[in-house]
Amino acid sequence: MDKNTTQLHFVSNITAAFAIDALKAAFSEAQKIGINISVAIVDTSLNLVAFSRGDRATPHSAKTSRRKANTAASTGKPTGWMGSDLAVTLPMASGNLLTNIPGGVPLRFSGVLGGGLGIAGGTVDQDNAIAQSTLIAIGADIN
């Protein structure tokens, strides 16, 4: 084996252009049900790729959407799956980078994780529904 290639780990990440398209899709889905949202999209290293706080979205929804996106990208699972013991300790242990609040989904394409999407601004059920609808709209794998 080539020594140089065995020392590398290749990671797939969502592109900025696609993340902007995903933002637009999320806002379109939210508009259908009349919800003002914030949307965050991160790559697999939890770097923010795209973000927008919609008109009249609550101020705290900005940070919440980012935490939801981070959690989905980090765990590869939609947010909301943790038991109460982990749901409390994980945010504390991560310096509030992660959350268990529903509305975060991993962005997978043909099974490959490319990042995370976080929606905040509605109820947890509304945020989760918008996130799932956005996955369908952008052609991502459904969680």
Side-chain angles (χ1 to χ4, degrees):
M1 236 180 209
D2 181 359
K3 180 181 175 184
N4 292 326
T5 59
T6 60
Q7 303 304 315
L8 301 175
H9 176 73
F10 295 97
V11 177
S12 297
N13 281 317
I14 191 164
T15 65
F18 192 82
I20 291 168
D21 289 341
L23 282 177
K24 292 176 184 176
F27 281 114
S28 176
E29 294 301 320
Q31 186 177 26
K32 290 177 186 177
I33 60 173
I35 303 299
N36 301 313
I37 60 168
S38 289
V39 183
I41 299 170
V42 300
D43 66 18
T44 56
S45 296
L46 311 187
N47 295 306
L48 187 63
V49 179
F51 168 79
S52 184
R53 181 179 159 266
D55 298 336
R56 295 181 306 278
T58 58
H60 67 276
S61 66
K63 288 189 178 185
T64 305
S65 66
R66 174 76 186 267
R67 290 175 181 145
K68 291 177 181 185
N70 285 345
T71 306
S74 179
T75 64
K77 298 177 184 179
T79 55
W81 61 270
M82 297 173 209
S84 60
D85 57 335
L86 190 55
V88 172
T89 57
L90 184 65
M92 290 171 43
S94 68
N96 261 341
L97 291 175
L98 307 177
T99 186
N100 193 43
I101 302 169
V105 292
L107 292 171
R108 288 185 193 279
F109 299 89
S110 300
V112 177
L113 182 65
L117 165 73
I119 306 290
T123 66
V124 293
D125 290 335
Q126 290 168 329
D127 291 350
N128 193 49
I130 293 166
Q132 295 295 329
S133 296
T134 301
L135 291 179
I136 293 167
I138 64 174
D141 297 351
I142 306 303
N143 296 294

